């Protein structure tokens, strides 16, 4: 996967993708604003959500032990996995133990993060994604590009093509006369997947929340594929990140309000399932929970970055992010796209390990919209800036990056009154010249420069540079004699 | 070291210098003023989800449910359902059943949500999932204003299914379509006193 700037440039050139994304994100934004506006105590709920999660993280060791004991006392088997390989091996071992060659899956970020489907395939076990969007992604041999609407980058005509081309090879074929009507497409998926639900003996899920004191797992969804997976097979394995804990059952009253309204912009999602271990005569009679670290303790150790572990994966920050809206999720090169991805990936993997991850903290304009939208008040811009400095530190020693040089000279200029005045005069002159050659006009009528020579072309290759005004604010202030 | 011990040690190491004091959690949302008429609000929000709704008295319940079932033939009626309708209590082949009738544990007005805790009259979880039609009966006195009141009433030891409208997907260009996997028709029968 190329680093973000290269991937973003490619995505920007795809006008179909930009149309699909702009439509989808603006629709969700409007829905979200309407249902959030209905809740008078919204700000308080956000504060409560943030406080509960922070308190949990501060005592995570104790809550983990409480959760483990509660799960065990209700008949579930608890496994611990340090990393992706360990987690995938546990799931594969359980499948082998039951002699199953296929499992049904409800969409889960954790299992995507650990690459479970690929790992199971390598062991001869097929994993069927059952969420409609995940099915589209899986059949299209594609990657998800959004946390809640993974096929947001596909339109109906593309989906119809994928169904007609691919369904037959893996089960019930799409109807021959399938049109691109969304209801018909959903109907085709219903028939195709029902066959798999009814014969599957093992299912794999994630969990939105894990309640420590009662050992309750919670899955929030819309379609019912989650309920199918959670109740029909004999064996259920849930892969749960260790940050998913909430301390008590009653704490759910905050998150079951915050999540649906922030996520899909609904008052409540169609289905929420909760279960505390095994219920005799109802649902799977064998349950496993895999508690997953995979970098979470690394993130926990980062004082500033720790807050990212509050994330409830609602995707509100994606839908309001101007960078995400234009580039889509694939450009982030990871399971977690958008603003949260830009901080979570480096926190989980560590900076200075690969160029792609190191490029993510720069994939932001720091406009702050993500923080405003976040139901658990994660200050994403703060963490982005913090991670940028870590990236810079990690690369210290080699040749300095152009950004570092630019920032250093900016600091040199800005720290001295006289230098700043001189620089402003230079800017004014440059601005006059640039204004003369400026080709583009930005919204609002300001002139912009489309293309500058290298190295500034690295900047103007992806965006227009507003031409500096002929006179600086400070010069204007002095000239007009206001105090 | 086992994975368990290593993860716990890593958590403790990560928190070594952290301030472990508990931050206060504001809980004022739990005493937010109730809507004036919770039953009316519940009815409005249920319909907003494209579920259908009928209201009746306890005496009319059987007839109202029968009307809601329409032409369905193979009907599931879990043990403990308040009125006799015929139908089977459970089935091995749920896919061949046309409709299911259940009661509920709680209704939530602000969100139009029904909560099943799979007690008497509600059956095991798969019953209200596989058949294409679900008729769910809830009494007016089971309706609470919001999510906090529902969470406070419910018993976490019981498996729960929270249902807000029929099964739905918005995965195709964000067009809401009813029924990908769960019941495509949800009919709510609201019983007055
Ligand atoms: S960071 Fe906040 S807004 Fe973004 S997905 Fe997580 S909880 Fe939602």
């Amino acid at each position: 996967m190329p680093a973000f700037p290269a991937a973003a440039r490619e995505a920007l050139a795809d006008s179909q993708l930009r149309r699909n994304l702009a439509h989808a994100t603006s629709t969700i934004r409007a829905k979200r604003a309407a249902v959030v506006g209905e809740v008078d105590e919204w700000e308080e709920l956000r504060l409560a959500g943030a406080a509960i999660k922070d308190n949990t993280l501060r005592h995570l060791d104790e809550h983990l032990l409480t959760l483990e004991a509660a799960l065990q006392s209700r008949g579930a088997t608890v496994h611990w996995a340090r990393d992706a390989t360990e987690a995938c091996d546990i799931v594969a071992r359980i499948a082998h133990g039951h002699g199953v060659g296929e499992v049904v899956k409800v969409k889960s970020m954790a299992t995507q993060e650990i690459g479970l489907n690929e790992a199971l395939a390598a062991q001869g076990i097929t994993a069927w994604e059952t969420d409609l969007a995940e099915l589209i992604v899986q059949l299209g041999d594609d990657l998800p590009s959004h946390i809640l609407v993974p096929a947001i980058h596909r339109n109906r005509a593309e989906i119809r093509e994928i169904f007609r081309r691919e369904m037959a090879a893996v089960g019930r074929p799409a109807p021959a006369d399938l049109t691109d009507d969304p209801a018909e497409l959903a109907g085709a998926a219903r028939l195709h997947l029902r066959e798999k639900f009814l014969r599957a003996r093992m299912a794999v899920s994630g969990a939105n929340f894990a309640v420590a004191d009662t050992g309750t797992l919670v899955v929030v969804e819309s379609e019912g594929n989650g309920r199918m997976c959670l109740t029909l097979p004999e064996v259920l394995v849930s892969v749960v990140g260790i940050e998913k804990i909430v301390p008590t059952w009653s704490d759910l009253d905050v998150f079951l309000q915050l999540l649906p309204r922030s996520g899909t912009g609904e008052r409540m999602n169609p289905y929420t399932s909760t279960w505390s271990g095994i219920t005799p005569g109802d649902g799977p009679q064998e349950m496993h929970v895999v508690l997953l670290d995979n970098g979470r303790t690394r993130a926990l150790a980062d004082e500033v970055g720790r807050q990212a572990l509050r994330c409830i994966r609602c995707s509100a920050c994606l839908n309001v992010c101007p960078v995400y809206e234009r580039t889509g999720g694939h450009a982030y090169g990871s399971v977690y796209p958008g603003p949260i991805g830009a901080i979570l990936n480096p926190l989980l993997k560590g900076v200075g390990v690969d160029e792609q991850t190191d490029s993510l903290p720069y994939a932001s304009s720091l406009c702050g919209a993500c923080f405003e939208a976040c139901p658990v008040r994660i200050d994403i811009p703060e963490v982005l800036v913090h991670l940028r400095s870590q990236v810079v530190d990690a690369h210290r020693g080699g040749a300095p990056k152009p950004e570092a040089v630019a920032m250093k000279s900016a600091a040199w200029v800005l720290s001295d009154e006289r230098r700043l005045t001189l620089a402003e005069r230079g800017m004014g002159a440059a601005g006059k010249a640039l204004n003369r050659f400026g080709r583009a006009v930005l919204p609002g009528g300001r002139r912009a420069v489309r293309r500058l020579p290298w190295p500034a072309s690295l900047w103007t290759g992806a965006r227009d540079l507003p031409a500096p005004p002929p006179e600086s604010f400070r010069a204007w202030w002095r000239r007009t004699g206001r105090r | 070291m086992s994975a368990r011990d290593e993860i716990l040690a890593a958590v403790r190491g990560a928190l070594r210098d952290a301030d472990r004091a508990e931050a206060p959690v504001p809980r004022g949302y739990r005493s937010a003023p109730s809507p004036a008429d919770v039953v009316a609000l519940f009815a409005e929000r249920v319909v907003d989800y494209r579920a259908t709704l009928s209201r009746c008295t306890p005496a009319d319940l059987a007839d109202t449910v029968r009307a809601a079932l329409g032409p369905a033939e193979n009907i599931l009626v879990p043990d403990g359902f308040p009125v006799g309708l015929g139908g089977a209590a459970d089935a091995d082949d749920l896919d061949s059943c046309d409709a299911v009738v259940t009661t509920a544990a709680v209704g939530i007005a602000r969100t139009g949500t029904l909560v099943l805790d799979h007690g008497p009259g509600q059956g095991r979880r798969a019953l209200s999932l596989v058949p294409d039609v679900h008729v769910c009966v809830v009494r007016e006195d089971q309706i609470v204003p919001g999510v906090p009141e529902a969470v406070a009433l419910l018993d976490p030891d019981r498996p729960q299914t929270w249902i807000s409208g029929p099964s739905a997907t918005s995965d195709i260009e964000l067009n809401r379509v009813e029924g990908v996997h769960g019941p495509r028709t949800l009919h709510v029968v609201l019983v007055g006193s």
Side-chain angles (χ1 to χ4, degrees):
Chain A
M1 191 68 204
F4 183 83
R9 204 165 304 126
E10 213 171 282
L12 283 169
D14 183 344
S15 57
Q16 175 72 59
L17 174 77
R18 291 180 68 174
R19 249 198 310 278
N20 295 354
L21 278 168
H23 167 68
T25 51
S26 64
T27 309
I28 308 183
R29 275 203 303 272
K31 282 177 69 187
R32 175 184 170 276
V35 296
V36 164
E38 273 179 11
V39 182
D40 292 337
E41 55 282 5
W42 186 255
E43 274 316 304
E44 201 197 41
L45 284 168
R46 289 177 77 208
L47 288 164
I52 295 168
K53 280 279 183 176
D54 272 352
N55 287 341
T56 316
L57 291 170
R58 283 194 194 109
H59 296 269
L60 191 57
D61 46 345
E62 296 152 36
H63 292 301
L64 278 165
L65 292 172
T66 310
L67 175 67
E68 179 188 46
L71 284 166
Q72 285 168 342
S73 75
R74 287 162 175 80
T77 308
V78 179
H79 309 259
W80 300 71
R82 278 167 284 218
D83 57 22
T85 316
E86 202 161 38
C88 292
D89 283 348
I90 293 167
V91 181
R93 226 175 27 242
I94 298 167
H96 285 314
H98 290 274
V100 301
E102 63 171 10
V103 301
V104 285
K105 280 189 66 202
V106 38
K107 171 180 152 26
S108 132
M109 302 302 296
T111 59
Q112 265 168 33
E113 176 191 321
I114 60 175
L116 180 65
N117 295 7
E118 297 73 20
L120 289 179
Q123 303 224 30
I125 303 157
T126 312
W128 303 114
E129 292 292 349
T130 62
D131 171 81
L132 174 56
E134 287 292 339
L135 175 75
I136 295 166
V137 167
Q138 191 176 38
L139 289 175
D141 197 15
D142 193 1
L143 291 168
S145 68
H146 188 279
I147 292 180
L148 280 190
V149 218
I152 198 171
H153 56 291
R154 296 286 198 184
N155 63 24
R156 58 177 87 186
E158 296 172 293
I159 296 168
R160 169 176 178 261
E161 265 326 292
I162 293 172
F163 280 11
R164 284 172 45 120
R165 205 174 57 225
E166 306 291 340
M167 268 184 176
V170 290
R172 184 176 174 133
D177 55 353
L178 183 67
T179 72
D180 65 3
D181 172 39
E184 266 195 46
L185 293 170
R190 180 184 181 98
L191 292 172
H192 180 82
L193 285 170
R194 192 156 276 219
E195 193 181 76
K196 296 190 160 66
F197 287 130
L198 294 175
R199 83 171 173 231
R201 290 173 46 221
M202 172 167 155
V204 179
S205 84
N208 292 87
F209 306 102
V211 181
D213 69 342
T214 58
T216 308
L217 298 188
V218 181
V219 164
V220 170
E221 50 132 0
S222 295
E223 295 172 7
N225 64 304
R227 295 181 60 197
M228 292 274 180
C229 292
L230 301 172
T231 59
L232 294 181
E234 299 149 31
V235 182
L236 172 63
V237 183
S238 306
V239 180
V240 183
I242 55 173
E243 84 287 14
K244 293 281 161 169
I245 293 186
V246 299
T248 68
W249 168 259
S250 68
D251 290 318
L252 287 176
D253 69 2
V254 173
F255 299 105
L256 292 181
Q257 295 185 77
L258 288 174
L259 179 54
R261 288 183 201 256
S262 306
T264 47
E266 295 166 296
R267 296 188 180 108
M268 187 61 87
N269 47 287
Y271 295 127
T272 298
S273 298
T274 78
W275 71 102
S276 310
I278 289 163
T279 308
D282 183 357
Q285 298 297 299
E286 183 177 324
M287 277 183 191
H288 299 264
V289 177
V290 183
L291 297 174
L292 175 72
D293 179 347
N294 205 34
R296 284 157 179 76
T297 51
R298 178 206 300 277
L300 187 66
D302 185 313
E303 262 171 62
V304 180
R306 182 179 296 153
Q307 55 184 310
L309 296 177
R310 289 183 208 148
C311 175
I312 55 174
R313 315 277 189 258
C314 71
S315 73
C317 56
L318 278 61
N319 300 324
V320 297
C321 176
V323 177
Y324 177 88
E325 183 178 339
R326 284 162 184 81
T327 63
H330 290 156
Y332 295 82
S334 63
V335 172
Y336 303 104
I340 182 61
I343 60 173
L344 199 56
N345 291 300
L347 284 165
L348 294 177
K349 290 185 200 159
V351 299
V353 180
D354 66 81
E355 196 202 346
Q356 201 274 327
T357 308
D358 283 359
S359 73
L360 292 178
Y362 294 92
S364 168
S365 61
L366 299 182
C367 72
C370 47
F371 171 57
E372 293 300 315
C374 178
V376 286
R377 296 176 54 92
I378 300 171
D379 192 341
I380 297 178
E382 180 193 17
V383 183
L384 283 165
V385 172
H386 166 73
L387 289 170
R388 285 181 189 184
S389 77
Q390 285 191 359
V391 171
V392 171
D393 284 347
H395 291 274
R396 194 157 284 157
K401 292 207 148 204
E403 293 98 302
V405 173
M407 287 299 159
K408 275 233 175 76
S409 47
W412 181 77
V413 170
L414 290 170
S415 63
D416 183 283
E417 158 93 30
R418 197 173 42 85
R419 286 199 286 256
L420 180 57
T421 310
L422 278 173
E424 277 171 356
R425 278 204 206 120
M427 278 287 255
K432 276 182 204 139
L434 288 173
N435 262 333
R436 201 142 15 98
F437 295 110
R439 295 263 166 75
V441 179
L442 296 177
R446 195 161 168 199
R447 301 191 73 81
V449 184
R450 268 278 156 83
R451 210 161 281 284
L452 287 173
W454 195 88
S457 62
L458 292 174
W459 179 268
T460 55
R463 30 186 136 27
D464 297 332
L465 174 72
E471 186 178 35
S472 76
F473 175 77
R474 292 181 351 134
W476 168 83
W477 187 263
R478 267 194 308 274
R479 181 167 61 78
T480 53
R482 296 171 207 215
R483 289 200 182 256
Chain B
M1 235 196 313
S2 71
R4 174 180 186 274
D5 294 344
E6 210 170 294
I7 292 170
L8 288 169
V11 169
R12 291 184 187 121
L15 295 171
R16 201 171 25 232
D17 299 323
D19 173 8
R20 290 236 191 175
E22 293 266 323
V25 179
R27 297 287 188 185
Y29 65 88
R30 285 187 180 155
S31 34
S34 274
D37 185 345
V38 288
V39 175
L41 183 62
F42 175 79
E44 179 197 317
R45 297 275 149 101
V46 161
V47 172
D48 219 36
Y49 276 121
R50 302 194 203 171
T52 46
L53 179 92
S54 15
R55 302 181 69 159
C56 68
T57 62
D60 303 335
L61 180 58
D63 289 342
T64 312
V65 172
R66 261 189 218 104
L69 283 167
E73 280 171 16
N74 268 328
I75 299 163
L76 291 164
V77 184
D79 288 335
F81 192 76
V83 291
L85 294 167
D90 201 343
D92 286 335
D93 179 14
L94 294 176
D95 204 20
S96 68
C97 298
D98 304 324
V100 59
V101 189
T102 73
T103 59
V106 175
I108 305 175
R110 282 204 183 89
T111 59
T113 304
L114 297 156
V115 185
L116 272 58
D117 67 1
H118 305 284
Q122 301 170 47
R124 65 187 169 105
R125 284 171 284 172
L127 296 195
S128 55
L129 171 64
V130 182
D132 204 18
V133 177
H134 178 194
V135 179
C136 186
V137 176
V138 59
R139 297 191 316 270
E140 286 181 2
D141 63 14
Q142 290 180 304
I143 309 230
V144 299
V147 171
E149 292 85 354
V151 169
L153 272 179
L154 289 159
D155 175 2
D157 280 344
R158 308 189 67 91
Q160 289 165 27
T161 309
W162 296 42
I163 300 175
S164 309
S167 155
T169 182
S170 302
D171 281 344
I172 301 166
E173 296 181 19
L174 295 194
N175 286 293
R176 193 177 170 96
V177 175
E178 268 75 46
V180 199
H181 306 302
R184 277 182 281 208
T185 303
L186 173 68
H187 191 109
V188 179
V189 177
L190 187 53
V191 190
S193 40

